[in-house]
Amino acid sequence: MDLKQIENIIAIEQEQSISRAAEKLFLTQSALNQQLLRLEKELGVRLFERRRHTMIPTFAGKIYLSTARQMVDMKKETYKIIQDISNETAGEISLAYSPERGSLMFSHVYPLFHRKYPNVTFSIREAHVKKMEAMLLQKEVTLACITYSRDSKHAAIEYVDTREELMILGLPATHPLAHLAGNRSWETFPPLDLALLRDDVFVLAAKNTRLRSMIDDAFRTAGFSPRILFESSNTATVVNMVKNQVCPAFFPQSYVDPAAPMVYFTTRPRQSWMQTVAYLKGEYLTKPEKYFIQLVKQYSDGSSAGDGA
């Protein structure tokens, strides 16, 4: 049985498209389609239903793919262990992080990592937390720099905590309630009754982010639904709306800037999340992977810039 062919079939499931899977695998669409057709002929069943432009696994396909993923995982795990015990310093780390703060962290950490492991490369995916969790569970990546809050931990994921971070409510310095922040609000983060902002408009984080789930909880606790100016998946855009005196907004503590023309609050109850490096429970971590986690922890301990939404 050809493991490369199996990996190609798994790619079709992940991308839900032969054309996208072929592009990802650097194959022609025709070549990948022929592989699938030959395999279906060999098995005597269809593995996918073709629904318009989407490939959906059939019942037989789900059985095949379940076993296929186990075989690929066994191969990866075996190669990682053998490579690690032989002290080879080449390999690849599959990593996911957020487009903003995650990329900033990686740019600081990578030079240190590269000095020790110059022949270890990275396969990087950028996404928000909920998507990164899915990548971990589907074994598309080994490590993910994500966050969790309260009861949002997943039972199948191991978390290496790096730093706790508050959810901050920023008000423009010109806002009528800005005086309630007092002095040095960038250090104290005094609580504000969110109901006082019932008549304000807000710029909010996009709905597919963990931060947005926390924001929605804050509004539910305050007993009202906010008027939304717009939503953005870019936290810097949200923060800049406050800096430019447009409206209040929520953002992670790592975006707090004492020199910015805004004041900072928390809401009742205070909400925070934990920044972590996550991986699947039971996953074998190589020495380079463990060293990368160590560097991320050191970065979080010594820098005010953490991972974002």
Side-chain angles (χ1 to χ4, degrees):
M1 189 174 289
D2 185 354
L3 273 181
K4 185 59 181 174
Q5 175 181 277
I6 291 175
E7 291 170 347
N8 292 350
I9 303 304
I10 292 173
I12 295 174
E13 179 202 22
Q14 290 173 342
E15 299 298 325
Q16 296 187 319
S17 163
I18 288 182
S19 59
R20 288 195 298 270
E23 183 178 355
K24 177 181 178 180
L25 297 166
F26 301 102
L27 295 172
T28 65
Q29 183 174 339
S30 174
L32 184 56
N33 188 53
Q34 288 301 313
Q35 282 189 25
L36 175 58
L37 291 174
R38 283 196 297 270
L39 179 59
E40 289 179 328
K41 183 177 180 180
E42 176 187 335
L43 296 173
V45 294
R46 295 180 66 179
L47 298 180
F48 291 90
E49 291 182 17
R50 284 75 167 172
R51 297 181 186 172
R52 295 186 180 180
H53 301 295
T54 304
M55 303 289 285
I56 306 296
T58 61
F59 179 70
K62 290 177 182 178
I63 294 173
Y64 176 90
L65 287 161
S66 176
T67 304
R69 284 190 293 270
Q70 292 177 42
M71 294 175 66
V72 171
D73 290 343
M74 288 174 62
K75 174 189 172 184
K76 288 180 180 177
E77 189 85 347
T78 302
Y79 278 41
K80 283 177 66 175
I81 294 171
I82 291 173
Q83 185 180 71
D84 212 32
I85 63 177
S86 66
N87 289 318
E88 290 187 14
T89 56
E92 181 181 84
I93 296 176
S94 56
L95 170 70
Y97 54 62
S98 66
E100 297 174 52
R101 291 293 156 176
S103 59
L104 179 63
M105 173 278 297
F106 186 76
S107 67
H108 280 81
V109 165
Y110 180 74
L112 297 172
F113 180 89
H114 185 66
R115 280 180 217 153
K116 186 167 184 177
Y117 295 104
N119 297 318
V120 175
T121 60
F122 283 83
S123 172
I124 293 172
R125 304 280 296 275
E126 292 189 347
H128 291 291
V129 172
K130 293 179 181 179
K131 176 62 177 175
M132 286 192 280
E133 283 182 345
M135 290 179 187
L136 278 177
L137 295 171
Q138 294 167 9
K139 300 189 177 182
E140 295 179 34
V141 296
T142 301
L143 302 177
C145 298
I146 63 175
T147 59
Y148 67 83
S149 58
R150 287 189 290 184
D151 301 325
S152 65
K153 279 187 171 183
H154 196 287
I157 295 177
E158 195 74 46
Y159 300 87
V160 180
D161 295 345
T162 59
R163 183 188 176 207
E164 188 174 13
E165 182 175 31
L166 289 170
M167 180 180 77
I168 299 300
L169 171 61
L171 265 63
T174 57
H175 193 281
L177 298 181
H179 67 280
L180 296 177
N183 297 322
R184 306 180 72 84
S185 65
W186 61 87
E187 291 179 342
T188 59
F189 307 118
L192 179 71
D193 183 357
L194 187 57
L196 294 173
L197 302 179
R198 186 183 297 271
D199 296 328
D200 282 73
V201 294
F202 292 82
V203 172
L204 299 184
K207 291 176 182 175
N208 63 337
T209 63
R210 173 142 294 156
L211 180 61
R212 178 57 181 273
S213 298
M214 296 166 65
I215 294 170
D216 290 344
D217 284 344
F219 282 115
R220 275 192 291 270
T221 301
F224 73 99
S225 297
R227 293 191 296 144
I228 302 172
L229 191 61
F230 65 86
E231 300 170 334
S232 176
S233 60
N234 188 309
T235 309
T237 298
V238 173
V239 174
N240 283 333
M241 295 299 288
V242 187
K243 286 183 179 179
N244 290 322
Q245 312 302 296
V246 177
C247 62
F250 288 91
F251 45 83
Q253 183 181 349
S254 54
Y255 284 83
V256 167
D257 177 3
M262 68 172 82
V263 294
Y264 304 97
F265 295 92
T266 51
T267 57
R268 290 190 180 97
R270 274 195 173 195
Q271 293 197 63
S272 64
W273 61 25
M274 183 65 72
Q275 299 174 13
T276 72
V277 182
Y279 57 93
L280 280 183
K281 287 184 176 178
E283 180 79 28
Y284 181 88
L285 296 183
T286 63
K287 292 171 186 174
E289 287 167 343
K290 291 177 180 177
Y291 181 61
F292 177 79
I293 294 174
Q294 176 187 330
L295 291 177
V296 175
K297 286 177 64 70
Q298 291 172 356
Y299 170 83
S300 298
D301 290 340
S303 170
S304 61
D307 199 319

